[in-house]
Structures are given as C-alpha cells and as structure tokens.
Amino acid sequence: FGSGHSTIWYSERVKYVVSIEHHKNWHTLISKYIISQNINNIDYRLMSRPYNNVSNEFENNHFNLIIVDGRDRIECIKSSISKLKPGGYLIWG
C-alpha cells in the first residue's frame, strides 16, 4: 500500500508486485516510468481511499511480503494480515 521507488526496486527482485496508490499525479508519474522501462511484473493500481478492501481480491496466505506505507495504515494492516503466507513479512513504513 503506497507506491514509489520501492515498487520498482522490488519488481527487480521478486516474481510480481501488487502496488496500490491513491494519489493520481503520483500514480501517473510512476506509471510512466514503469511503461518507459518496460516493466511487466507490476500490478499497479490507482484506487480511491479507503483502499484497504482490495485485500479481499486475494486468497489468504497469498503474499510473502506486504508493505504498508500509504494512507489508512491501520485499516490496511487489519485487512491484509491474513493474506500473508506463514513466515511472511509485514513492513509498516
């Protein structure tokens, strides 16, 4: 939750990244970079707040890592904690 340079950094190191952003101008800027670099393993979404319910789209135990560095941090953590695989990590930025 929240996007930026870490979204790009992780995309170079993992199979895929799901990144949620609420700020339209920032989303546009990062989207242009993703396209210009031909990065195709990022599911990059612009969503209105509150966006924590996007977690419902994923099965429990789906993610190895969840980073919450956007708005509505507490609700994002509550909604997504069950989506972590056993032994997965939650980073609160």
Side-chain angles (χ1 to χ4, degrees):
F1 297 94
S3 68
H5 300 290
S6 63
T7 299
I8 306 304
W9 189 87
Y10 279 104
S11 75
E12 296 170 352
R13 291 159 174 80
V14 300
K15 189 174 182 177
Y16 78 97
V17 174
V18 178
S19 187
I20 311 301
E21 179 58 50
H22 79 280
H23 191 277
K24 185 176 181 179
N25 291 342
W26 186 246
H27 181 270
T28 299
L29 181 70
I30 298 299
S31 291
K32 286 179 182 179
Y33 183 82
I34 290 168
I35 292 167
S36 75
Q37 298 301 306
N38 197 30
I39 301 170
N40 56 19
N41 65 334
I42 301 175
D43 178 357
Y44 191 42
R45 303 180 190 192
L46 176 63
M47 300 185 77
S48 299
R49 291 175 57 201
Y51 48 60
N52 61 294
N53 287 332
V54 70
S55 297
N56 294 333
E57 294 182 23
F58 300 95
E59 301 278 330
N60 287 346
N61 305 314
H62 184 80
F63 293 103
N64 292 305
L65 173 67
I66 296 175
I67 301 171
V68 181
D69 191 24
R71 304 288 185 226
D72 309 317
R73 285 176 170 90
I74 300 297
E75 293 306 314
C76 288
I77 290 170
K78 287 179 186 177
S79 297
S80 63
I81 196 77
S82 65
K83 307 307 173 182
L84 274 175
K85 290 182 179 180
Y89 294 93
L90 173 70
I91 298 175
W92 183 349

